[in-house]
């Protein structure tokens, strides 16, 4: 097994575990009265990430690892864990809001409104660069940017709805 295939296996496993946590959290949140907002673009996001990982496996599994970019990717994983632990049971891959609950304003959310998207943008760029595939970084960054414009607009509207429903 090459270093690249080991890295890709760990990333793939991590994404599968995250999907499991997301589904579990989504079920619990919906049972508490949460609502999903703007689910129509979600399949496109899943497809983008599947294609990104698939392309990395196809073109990168036998590539040498660039230690500089690998260090950057590992730093992004620390940031990912910070986001996940800050949100806890509220973290999902969907836009789920619980009317009347306070928005999270701790951890990385003190500094950035959408820290998870900052991490994802970084990963989409940095992981291909770890494998010497800058063209994959460019292609998937552009595709991700198009989807994030839709996603962030929908999420901001959902968060604004929660803010206005919360009594002062």
């Amino acid at each position: 097994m090459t270093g690249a295939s080991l890295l890709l296996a760990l990333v793939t496993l991590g994404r599968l575990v995250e999907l499991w946590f997301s589904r579990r959290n989504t079920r619990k949140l919906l049972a508490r009265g949460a609502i999903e907002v703007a689910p129509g673009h979600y399949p496109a996001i899943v497809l983008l990430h599947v294609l990104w990982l698939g392309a990395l496996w196809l073109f990168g599994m036998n590539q040498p690892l660039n230690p500089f970019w690998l260090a950057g990717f590992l730093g992004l994983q620390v940031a990912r864990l910070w986001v996940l632990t800050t949100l806890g049971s509220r973290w999902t891959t969907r836009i789920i809001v619980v009317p009347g609950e306070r928005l999270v304003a701790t951890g990385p959310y003190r500094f950035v409104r959408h820290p998870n998207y900052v991490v994802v943008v970084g990963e989409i760029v940095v992981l291909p660069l770890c494998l010497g595939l800058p063209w994959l970084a460019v292609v998937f960054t552009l595709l991700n940017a198009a989807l994030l414009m839709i996603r962030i607009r929908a999420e901001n509207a959902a968060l604004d709805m929660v803010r206005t429903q919360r009594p002062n």
Side-chain angles (χ1 to χ4, degrees), residues 100-149:
E101 278 199 6
R102 287 190 183 275
L103 298 180
V104 174
T106 60
Y109 292 87
R110 290 179 301 194
F111 310 108
V112 180
R113 187 162 186 182
H114 299 288
N116 194 63
Y117 300 142
V118 172
V119 171
V120 170
V121 166
E123 289 174 330
I124 286 176
V125 171
V126 172
L127 191 54
L129 295 176
C130 287
L131 304 170
L133 301 169
W135 62 274
L136 271 182
V138 170
V139 167
F140 282 96
T141 294
L142 294 173
L143 293 171
N144 188 52
L147 284 176
L148 275 183
M149 287 188 336

Side-chain angles (χ1 to χ4, degrees), residues 66-82:
N66 179 306
F68 172 80
W69 291 112
L70 180 59
F73 185 76
L74 295 175
L76 288 167
Q77 298 321 293
V78 171
R80 172 181 288 285
L81 282 173
W82 193 20

Side-chain angles (χ1 to χ4, degrees), residues 5-131:
S5 61
L6 177 61
L7 175 62
L8 291 172
L10 290 172
V11 170
T12 302
L13 178 63
R15 292 304 191 270
L16 292 172
V17 169
E18 286 177 2
L19 285 174
W20 178 82
F21 276 116
S22 175
R23 286 187 181 126
R24 184 192 69 174
N25 290 345
T26 296
R27 279 193 305 273
K28 288 180 179 181
L29 288 166
L30 293 175
R32 287 183 26 218
I35 56 172
E36 182 174 3
V37 178
H41 68 277
Y42 184 72
I45 288 175
V46 171
L47 179 62
L48 174 81
H49 286 267
V50 167
L51 292 173
W52 175 71
L53 267 175
L56 289 168
W57 274 103
L58 180 65
F59 298 108
M61 67 184 280
N62 293 314
Q63 296 291 338
L65 291 175
N66 179 306
F68 172 80
W69 291 112
L70 180 59
F73 185 76
L74 295 175
L76 288 167
Q77 298 321 293
V78 171
R80 172 181 288 285
L81 282 173
W82 193 20
V83 169
L84 292 173
T85 57
T86 299
L87 288 179
S89 63
R90 292 172 73 175
W91 182 86
T92 72
T93 57
R94 297 176 176 272
I95 302 173
I96 307 287
V97 294
V98 181
E101 278 199 6
R102 287 190 183 275
L103 298 180
V104 174
T106 60
Y109 292 87
R110 290 179 301 194
F111 310 108
V112 180
R113 187 162 186 182
H114 299 288
N116 194 63
Y117 300 142
V118 172
V119 171
V120 170
V121 166
E123 289 174 330
I124 286 176
V125 171
V126 172
L127 191 54
L129 295 176
C130 287
L131 304 170

